[in-house]
Amino acid sequence: MRGWIPAGLIALAVALLDWAVKYLVARSVPLGVLREVVPNRVAFWHVRNPAMVLGLWGNLPLASRMVIAAGAAVLGAVLLLEIVQRGHRLPRGQRGWAWAFAGLMMGGMLGNLGERVVHWGVTDYLSIHWAGLWLPPGNVADVALILSMLLAVPVMVFELMGRARRGKRPLRVASEMGD
């Protein structure tokens, strides 16, 4: 279970950074205002998002969104527990990928879920200009979640490769083991 240490440190760093930047944006950029940081490329656009990921379920009553958030948090925690517990089976050079995935996912979940518990909404502020439009803003937690999804691919490949290796080992028959 040593994987919890690096995954936990990554998660803590992401959540703390997310909360700190959200606090600074809320204090310095008025709600609804878009301020370009890199002209025509990147902006701080301070919005409050009462909905879930990508605006999903925003029209549902608050109680329903709370149930969905709690269910997603439990499901995510179970998934991360499995990944970190299985990460030790990977070769040493591949474990870091699993722990980085779990840490970024946990940090993103903690960043947004922690703010939802306090305000039942999330401060979004980072917008990118693309194809002539400013994309809906996100935050550090969202970036961590997106990066974790990208890391999920090699982690799954490593797990499948490990399962294939373990499946190719010849089985020892009971009579060969002296039984």
Side-chain angles (χ1 to χ4, degrees):
M1 292 300 293
R2 289 182 308 241
W4 280 111
I5 294 171
L9 291 174
I10 292 168
L12 184 62
V14 167
L16 290 174
L17 177 63
D18 180 62
W19 295 330
V21 175
K22 285 175 180 174
Y23 175 79
L24 291 173
V25 166
R27 304 272 306 169
S28 63
V29 180
L31 195 60
V33 171
L34 183 140
R35 288 194 183 148
E36 292 186 39
V37 178
V38 178
N40 216 25
R41 293 284 178 239
V42 179
F44 284 152
W45 182 7
H46 183 189
V47 300
R48 294 287 301 159
N49 180 2
M52 306 296 276
V53 177
L54 301 174
L56 294 174
W57 304 300
N59 58 346
L60 291 178
L62 179 59
S64 298
R65 287 181 281 148
M66 287 179 163
V67 168
I68 292 169
V74 168
L75 182 62
V78 168
L79 173 69
L80 292 173
L81 178 64
E82 284 295 315
I83 289 168
V84 173
Q85 284 180 337
R86 293 171 187 256
H88 75 279
R89 298 185 318 181
L90 295 173
R92 197 173 289 282
Q94 296 173 353
R95 291 177 193 164
W97 291 81
W99 295 332
F101 163 77
L104 288 170
M105 181 68 73
M106 275 190 290
M109 288 171 51
L110 283 173
N112 284 337
L113 188 61
E115 191 177 14
R116 281 195 191 287
V117 167
V118 175
H119 306 292
W120 196 257
V122 173
T123 302
D124 286 331
Y125 55 84
L126 185 60
S127 183
I128 297 172
H129 192 259
W130 186 61
L133 299 171
W134 286 102
L135 297 178
N139 53 49
V140 169
D142 297 337
V143 171
L145 290 167
I146 289 168
L147 290 174
S148 73
M149 288 183 237
L150 296 174
L151 286 176
V153 173
V155 170
M156 287 187 282
V157 168
F158 296 153
E159 175 66 20
L160 292 172
M161 289 170 34
R163 287 181 183 195
R165 277 193 307 273
R166 288 187 298 276
K168 291 181 181 176
R169 290 186 184 144
L171 296 175
R172 293 177 58 187
V173 180
S175 63
E176 293 176 11
M177 298 185 330
D179 293 337

